[in-house]
C-alpha cells in the first residue's frame, strides 16, 4: 500500500461503499518502514491523517493517546 491518496483502492470510492454499511467504522492509519528513522513514517502518517480529515473522517488521534 502507498500513501493516500495514491494507489488503490481510490479512497473516495471506498468511503462511498462503506457508507452503505450504515455503521461506525474504526480505522488505524499506520505507516511501517523498517529500519528507518521514526520521523519519516510519522510525517507520512500525518499527511494521511490530514487527507482523511479533509474527506470528512474523524476524529483523528495520534498514538500514543
Amino acid at each position: 500500500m502507498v500513501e493516500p491518496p495514491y494507489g488503490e483502492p481510490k479512497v473516495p470510492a471506498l468511503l462511498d461503499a462503506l457508507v452503505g454499511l450504515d455503521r461506525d467504522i474504526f480505522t488505524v492509519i499506520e505507516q511501517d518502514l523498517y529500519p528507518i528513522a521514526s520521523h519519516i513514517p510519522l510525517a507520512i502518517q500525518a499527511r494521511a491523517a490530514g487527507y482523511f480529515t479533509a474527506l470528512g473522517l474523524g476524529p483523528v488521534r495520534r498514538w500514543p493517546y
Side-chain angles (χ1 to χ4, degrees):
M1 181 165 189
V2 298
E3 180 180 342
Y6 312 107
E8 297 290 332
K10 298 299 182 198
V11 177
L14 176 63
L15 294 177
D16 289 343
L18 292 174
V19 166
L21 297 176
D22 193 31
R23 60 178 46 204
D24 291 336
I25 297 174
F26 177 80
T27 303
V28 174
I29 301 170
E30 183 175 279
Q31 190 68 38
D32 291 330
L33 299 172
Y34 180 82
I36 199 163
S38 62
H39 71 282
I40 294 171
L42 181 59
I44 295 169
Q45 180 182 16
R47 286 191 302 270
Y51 172 72
F52 290 127
T53 300
L55 291 175
L57 300 177
V60 173
R61 293 185 296 183
R62 196 182 80 160
W63 182 86
Y65 50 86

